[in-house]
């Protein structure tokens, strides 16, 4: 798996998304489709973006009983996406069921990665509301290991955790990392940010970049800057 920049297409509908993608006349960025766009437009948005030649990370973060997740993953495997995800908190049984559901009759399947802890959850909330009394890094690593043991391909994490995840789960275990900003950019609501160049140094396999590209005056130039810094 090569390093790549995934563009978070956090748009409200198809029209806005296609207007954005139309600006890319030379390259076909790897696209992340999240809940907002998927729930607004349904599975057809995935087929349409795929038909335009983009790779797709479908970011729906599934979390339910194993049987339900297995069946949902079976449906998603028919959409021919490249990466899908779920919450590691759903347990090893749920993750194994998800993998089974995702695997097509010919043995192929999209990559499956796990969310460890959402970046919107801090240690205080984790302790007081989720009743997990361990340090954040330990929780992230334990969840990552349980995802690796279940046979998943990687995790979503901060670039700051990528090195530790690789150390504990193997160099081939993917780290897909949001929270990326240009050195001269606005962090917005992201708290722990790195630049694309730092994410590369820290060992991220994929960076997920939304607003620094989608809200740039020149999104194509911003995308190219990301690729240049991260992929080289
Ligand atoms: O605009 P920005 O670059 O902050 O977008 C980052 C993307 O990554 C968003 O789609 C956000 O939902 C997603 N994400 C994140 N942190 C996580 C998981 C996903 O920022 N832990």
């Amino acid at each position: 798996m090569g390093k790549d920049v995934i563009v978070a297409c956090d748009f409200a509908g198809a029209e806005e998304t296609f207007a954005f993608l139309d600006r890319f006349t030379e390259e076909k960025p790897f696209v992340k489709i999240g809940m907002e766009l998927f729930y607004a437009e349904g599975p057809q948005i995935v087929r349409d973006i795929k038909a335009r030649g983009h790779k797709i990370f479908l970011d729906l973060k599934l979390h339910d009983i194993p049987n339900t997740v297995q069946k949902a993953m079976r449906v998603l495997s028919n959409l021919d996406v490249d990466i899908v995800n779920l919450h590691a908190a759903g347990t090893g049984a749920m993750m194994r069921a998800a993998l089974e559901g995702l695997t097509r009759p010919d043995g192929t399947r999209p990559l499956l990665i796990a969310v460890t802890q959402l970046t919107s959850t801090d240690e205080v909330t984790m302790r007081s509301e989720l009743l997990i009394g361990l340090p954040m890094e330990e929780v992230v690593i334990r969840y990552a290991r349980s995802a690796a043991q279940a046979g998943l391909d990687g995790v979503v994490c901060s670039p700051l955790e990528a090195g530790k995840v690789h150390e504990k789960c193997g160099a081939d275990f993917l780290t897909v990392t949001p929270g990326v900003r240009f050195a001269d950019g606005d962090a917005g609501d992201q708290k722990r940010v790195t630049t694309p160049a730092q994410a590369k140094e820290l060992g991220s396999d994929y960076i997920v970049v939304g607003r620094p590209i989608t809200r740039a005056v020149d999104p194509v130039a911003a995308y190219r800057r990301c690729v240049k810094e991260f992929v080289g």
Side-chain angles (χ1 to χ4, degrees):
M1 237 15 205
K3 283 186 184 281
D4 208 350
V5 174
I6 302 179
V7 182
C9 284
D10 294 323
F11 298 114
E15 203 178 316
E16 217 183 323
T17 306
F18 293 138
F20 170 76
L21 293 177
D22 281 345
R23 302 178 75 133
F24 293 84
T25 50
E26 285 174 34
E27 44 284 267
K28 294 279 180 197
F30 203 132
V31 164
K32 179 171 91 73
I33 299 176
M35 291 184 202
E36 182 187 11
L37 187 56
F38 189 79
Y39 292 152
E41 300 290 347
Q44 194 55 39
I45 189 75
V46 176
R47 296 187 193 101
D48 289 346
I49 294 177
K50 194 79 197 177
R52 287 169 167 241
H54 298 269
K55 285 188 175 172
I56 295 177
F57 168 20
L58 188 57
D59 179 19
L60 298 181
K61 301 186 179 73
L62 274 68
H63 187 173
D64 208 317
I65 60 170
N67 182 58
T68 300
V69 170
Q70 181 174 346
K71 287 179 174 164
M73 287 293 185
R74 179 137 301 152
V75 177
L76 295 182
S77 75
N78 292 329
L79 282 178
D80 195 24
V81 294
D82 298 278
I83 307 179
V84 289
N85 63 355
L86 44 63
H87 277 282
T91 76
M94 188 200 78
M95 291 192 271
R96 288 190 297 276
L99 264 186
E100 222 176 297
L102 208 53
T103 306
R104 305 182 186 104
D106 65 1
T108 63
R109 63 167 175 82
L111 294 172
L112 181 60
I113 62 175
V115 175
T116 53
Q117 280 295 325
L118 292 171
T119 41
S120 51
T121 307
D122 60 15
E123 231 167 76
V124 173
T125 316
M126 204 168 62
R127 196 169 21 248
S128 63
E129 296 190 35
L130 304 182
L131 310 182
I132 301 172
L134 297 171
M136 181 61 81
E137 191 182 90
E138 203 175 327
V139 175
V140 168
I141 295 301
R142 283 201 192 187
Y143 279 32
R145 286 179 99 146
S146 113
Q149 275 162 12
L152 268 67
D153 303 293
V155 285
V156 182
C157 64
S158 157
L160 300 163
E161 292 150 2
K164 194 93 184 167
V165 170
H166 282 141
E167 186 190 314
K168 301 287 181 188
C169 302
D172 293 340
F173 194 65
L174 299 174
T175 52
V176 178
T177 65
V180 174
R181 292 293 180 266
F182 292 121
D184 51 4
D186 174 14
D189 56 356
Q190 295 282 14
K191 299 253 176 338
R192 300 167 71 220
V193 299
T194 69
T195 64
Q198 286 165 339
K200 178 184 183 178
E201 267 171 43
L202 291 164
S204 296
D205 296 293
Y206 291 91
I207 51 173
V208 177
V209 188
R211 290 159 290 180
I213 293 175
T214 56
R215 302 227 181 132
V217 176
D218 184 344
V220 178
Y223 171 75
R224 286 181 184 156
R225 183 178 169 191
C226 261
V227 172
K228 195 164 170 226
E229 272 193 42
F230 183 67
V231 185

